[in-house]
Amino acid sequence: AQSVTQLDSHVSVSEGTPVLLRCNYSSSYSPSLFWYVQHPNKGLQLLLKYTSAATLVKGINGFEAEFKKSETSFHLTKPSAHMSDAAEYFCVLKFTSGTYKYIFGTGTRLKVLA
Amino acid sequence: DVKVTQSSRYLVKRTGEKVFLECVQDMDHENMFWYRQDPGLGLRLIYFSYDVKMKEKGDIPEGYSVSREKKERFSLILESASTNQTSMYLCASTSRTSGSVDEQFFGPGTRLTVL
């Protein structure tokens, strides 16, 4: 069965330090993977998407993610956290063919300390 | 700038009331979705529509119905609201492009409280 696991429900970092948000997936097919960010009381905004063209994907606001098939991972990173990065982050898997079903992780809440 | 709008940001209803949540997208997308979001559970799909008047049940359709009479508009209906339907409701849309990776575009959400 296809699934997405976000390994940490909460992550705290100090401003200016690196961010690592972890995502593992399970899929029998070649997946499409996304990271979304949700600020309080807002909808979800796309950060980046994996399209199989390149394993290292760069997104908005300095975020990037690396697709590692051998580890079935798609971790989100940023070299230096900013206060405005405090939000909830969702890793999402979609099958690349057939159904339009998207599978969401349970989210990671990022806290950035001054 | 692409946009998905939802009719209300906050809504308070009483148990047993019929509730309509409206979603409109201006991107000419074929696919539209309704999710509910609850803490610790992520987003769960309620219903999905891939064309006008076409719909498919998602993972948690019980207690909900949907209507898609026009391509740009997708409505979620709670026939008789109950307290366990208190949640954040998110609408999304995607295009139906063969072979491409289609991200979803989300509305701002409706926070529904049922008393």
Side-chain angles (χ1 to χ4, degrees):
Chain A
Q2 283 71 19
S3 66
V4 172
T5 302
Q6 290 185 243
L7 295 152
D8 306 295
S9 58
H10 292 82
V11 170
S12 290
V13 301
S14 297
E15 191 175 22
T17 64
V19 176
L20 170 64
L21 305 182
R22 299 183 292 167
C23 173
N24 284 94
Y25 70 91
S26 172
S27 176
S28 304
Y29 306 96
S30 178
S32 299
L33 291 158
F34 308 83
W35 275 101
Y36 284 85
V37 61
Q38 184 182 33
H39 291 278
N41 296 312
K42 297 284 179 66
L44 276 69
Q45 178 187 13
L46 181 72
L47 277 177
L48 49 82
K49 63 182 179 183
Y50 168 67
T51 63
S52 76
T55 56
L56 184 61
V57 182
K58 292 189 184 299
I60 62 171
N61 300 334
F63 284 95
E64 62 182 39
E66 186 170 9
F67 176 74
K68 292 186 177 180
K69 188 174 181 179
S70 60
E71 298 177 11
T72 60
S73 69
F74 190 57
H75 300 335
L76 182 70
T77 60
K78 183 174 181 178
S80 176
H82 191 272
M83 296 298 288
S84 60
D85 294 328
E88 189 153 25
Y89 293 79
F90 292 94
C91 182
V92 182
L93 179 151
K94 175 187 175 291
F95 312 143
T96 51
S97 61
T99 178
Y100 276 82
K101 188 166 183 179
Y102 295 75
I103 297 175
F104 287 76
T106 51
T108 298
R109 186 165 296 280
L110 176 65
K111 188 174 182 179
V112 182
L113 307 170
Chain B
D1 197 17
V2 297
K3 202 164 247 187
V4 179
T5 56
Q6 295 183 228
S7 50
S8 305
R9 294 300 309 276
Y10 299 93
L11 211 52
V12 179
K13 296 292 181 180
R14 298 217 172 265
T15 302
E17 280 192 80
K18 190 168 186 175
V19 181
F20 293 87
L21 302 182
E22 302 264 306
C23 175
V24 177
Q25 51 94 4
D26 65 0
M27 296 165 281
D28 201 35
H29 284 169
E30 293 83 2
N31 303 317
M32 296 187 75
F33 306 75
W34 274 108
Y35 295 93
R36 66 176 282 175
Q37 181 180 16
D38 300 288
L41 297 178
L43 275 70
R44 293 179 292 167
L45 180 65
I46 305 172
Y47 267 98
F48 158 58
S49 170
Y50 53 91
D51 206 343
V52 175
K53 297 190 187 293
M54 306 304 288
K55 63 187 179 186
E56 281 189 14
K57 291 181 180 179
D59 299 316
I60 51 164
E62 298 77 18
Y64 303 95
S65 62
V66 291
S67 172
R68 186 135 179 234
E69 297 296 319
K70 293 185 177 182
K71 190 176 185 180
E72 68 271 17
R73 188 179 298 270
F74 191 34
S75 301
L76 179 69
I77 303 154
L78 287 66
E79 294 290 341
S80 177
S82 64
T83 55
N84 62 14
Q85 292 178 310
T86 291
S87 187
M88 170 72 102
Y89 290 87
L90 290 163
C91 176
S93 70
T94 69
S95 64
R96 187 170 63 219
T97 309
S98 174
S100 74
V101 178
D102 301 316
E103 71 263 31
Q104 293 181 301
F105 293 87
F106 284 86
T110 295
R111 187 166 294 282
L112 173 67
T113 302
V114 183
L115 302 174

